[in-house]
Every structure is written in C-alpha cells, then in structure tokens.
Amino acid sequence: MADKVDPDALADGSEPLFSFGVIADIQYADLEDGFNYQRSRQRYYRHSLVHLQGAIEDWNKESSMPCCVLQLGDIIDGYNAQYKVSEKSLEVVMNTFKMLKVPVHHTWGNHEFYNFSRDFLANSKLNSKFLEDRIVQHPETTPSENYYAYHFVPFPKFRFILLDAYDLSVLGIDQSSPKYEQCMKMLREHNPNVELNSPQGLSEPQYVQFNGGFSQEQLNWLNEVLTFSDLNQEKVVIVSHLPIYPEASDSVCLAWNYIDALSIIWSHKCVVCFLAGHTHDGGYSEDPFGVHHVNLEGVIETAPDSQAFGTVHVYPDKMLLKGRGRVPDRIMNYKRE
C-alpha cells in the first residue's frame, strides 16, 4: 500500500541511502498546444521544455542531490518527424539535460521510434548503455546487442534494470527485415482492425501498434539478472516505457506480453518497484508479490501552472516518492520476508 503523505513528515527522521529523479513523456515539439488522439486532453508541446528546465533546477538544488535521473521515454513528440525536425528537437532537449549535474538513464518509447530508427537511437545520445554495470563473473547477466536493455548499481545492494519494451515492435525497424515480419504477424493475429492503433473490439487491447513487447531473449536475460540479484540479496527497480501491471494502468497502454514479464518478476523475490511512463495519466498499484508499480504522469499533458516529475528517496525498508505538481507523493514499503 502506498500512502499519499508528505515524505518530509516521516517520524523516524532517518536519512535516505540515496535518491534518484524520475520524469516521463516530455514529448517536446516546437508547436502550438494541441490535443491527444481522442481530443480529450490538452498537450503542451513547447511548454514541456519549460517543465523539464524546472525539474532540472529543482534536482540540482536538492540538499542531497539525486545520484541519477531516469527519463522514462517519449522525450520528443512524433510530430517532429512530420515537420522533419526530429534531430533539431532532440538536440534542444539534450542541451537542456546538459544543465543537470548527474547522469541520465534514457528509456525508449513509441515516440522515439516515430522519429528515429533503432539504428539511429543506438548511436545517439539517447543510448545511455555506457552507464551499465558488468558482472564479470556472470556473463549471462550481460545483455545482447539485439535489444536496448542494461542494469546498473546506483548504491550497494540496489540494482536498476532498464528494459526495452519495443524489442518486439513494428516501429523503428526495417520493414523488409524478418523481425518486422514476425512482429507484424504477432500484431495482426491479436488485432484484426484495419487501423492497428485502434483497440476497438479487442479482447487483449494492448495489441496496438503504439505498444510493443519483450522478446524471449530479453526475458531470459532479465531472469538471469534477477537470479543473480536474489543470490546477492539485492533490491531491484525495473524501468520500462510501457507498464506491465493492469491494476496500475489503462489496459490499452500495457506491453503486448506483459504477462510474460510479470511471471518472471514474480518468480523472484528481489524486485521492489516497476517504473513506467506512457499512460500520461499516471497510475499506481502494489501487486500481490509486493512490487510497487508506478506509472508516472506525463509532462506533455501537464498545464503550464503545474509540474510532473519526482524524486525517489531510498531507505533500507522503503522508497518515498516525493512528487511535484500532479505527481503524488507515495510511501512504498518493501514486502517483509
């Protein structure tokens, strides 16, 4: 259970071990305000950069500075591709991130793939894999180059794992490749609609083109890393653009094969938190195995007079999310053994 309280008001007065920043769905574009696809919520394309600047100023001023920031994907909006300004807009956002005094770990979402190919992203500043941790004695915990995922240790006995939720996807890959054909076949088997972004009439509404999934190869790797973390008595935070737990998310926004990811996570005792973006609305639920699923509210749909980011303060027995603007505060206790 995550209580919405002020973490500063905690009675025990203990110091956190470390902290980290979280921000999601910036979706910057040099455009007038617009609306989401359903035309039900406003999007503030230019102002998202102002929100990012405010978040960075805040993180830089915190009394105990975060060790890093997790950028949960969709850093620029797909509209940039239509206007052929994808690289220019990415440069604007990355120059803003240069003001931050700590490293940024970037996840890739659907809007990255609307703007860029996977090959481009792998050779861009959005590839933060150079920050990974290698467990030399356990080569099975080294990720393959076939997907964009890695793990790192921000503090002893805490491991963070970044997943590639578009490892299986029809976005950003060569349409003549076998993998594209395999993914399109998978998508069409679950979604007979002419418009593949429409979940209309689907029994599994997550099978839409703007979502993706995890390959068996990536899931096997995740299992190996979690096996190591169990043995090493580590606590693990998993990061993904797409959420995987239905109780914390709109079912249309889940990863295609979220059940496969959940079953691996639930077969280990080390995972304490799963952080995702994509939904823009935010969401939270603690699953039956004590994993806290946090979907961060998206910057892109945050009004100019508000904010949308947070700092997570990590303690030996819990994590405290101190949210700003429309991101609520949460206390996330680790499940007792």
Side-chain angles (χ1 to χ4, degrees), residues 171-296:
L171 304 176
I173 57 169
D174 184 353
Q175 295 190 6
S176 63
S177 68
K179 189 163 185 181
Y180 176 86
E181 287 177 24
Q182 172 208 346
C183 293
M184 183 55 84
K185 182 170 180 278
M186 186 184 301
L187 181 55
R188 287 201 186 279
E189 279 171 1
H190 292 87
N191 185 342
N193 294 330
V194 175
E195 172 49 73
L196 287 171
N197 275 324
S198 169
Q200 195 174 346
L202 303 186
S203 59
E204 296 175 286
Q206 77 272 19
Y207 277 97
V208 286
Q209 190 167 276
F210 58 77
N211 294 335
F214 311 102
S215 68
Q216 193 56 52
E217 184 188 20
Q218 185 181 182
L219 292 172
N220 292 345
W221 167 77
L222 173 63
N223 191 51
E224 294 290 1
V225 179
L226 297 182
T227 299
F228 176 85
S229 290
D230 278 347
L231 288 169
N232 204 34
Q233 295 182 303
E234 296 174 340
K235 289 182 171 60
V236 172
V237 173
I238 300 180
V239 184
S240 158
H241 181 65
L242 297 181
I244 62 164
Y245 192 53
E247 301 297 315
S249 169
D250 178 342
S251 60
V252 178
C253 288
L254 294 162
W256 288 351
N257 57 339
Y258 70 88
I259 294 169
D260 297 339
L262 277 177
S263 63
I264 286 174
I265 290 167
W266 288 348
S267 71
H268 297 273
K269 61 180 191 292
C270 54
V271 182
V272 294
C273 183
F274 191 103
L275 290 163
H278 195 53
T279 63
H280 297 184
D281 268 352
Y284 168 82
S285 185
E286 182 181 354
D287 73 29
F289 294 83
V291 180
H292 298 272
H293 294 264
V294 180
N295 294 352
L296 213 69

Side-chain angles (χ1 to χ4, degrees), residues 23 25-30 44-57 75-76 88-97 99 299-300 302 307:
I23 193 163
D25 299 274
I26 299 164
Q27 287 183 222
Y28 168 73
D30 185 11
Y44 306 90
Y45 295 107
R46 275 197 196 107
H47 205 88
S48 64
L49 196 68
V50 181
H51 283 322
L52 174 61
Q53 289 162 347
I56 289 170
E57 284 167 21
I75 196 167
I76 64 170
K88 183 183 175 188
S89 290
L90 180 61
E91 195 63 26
V92 168
V93 180
M94 296 312 273
N95 282 340
T96 304
F97 265 116
M99 295 165 14
V299 172
I300 182 62
T302 300
Q307 245 306 359

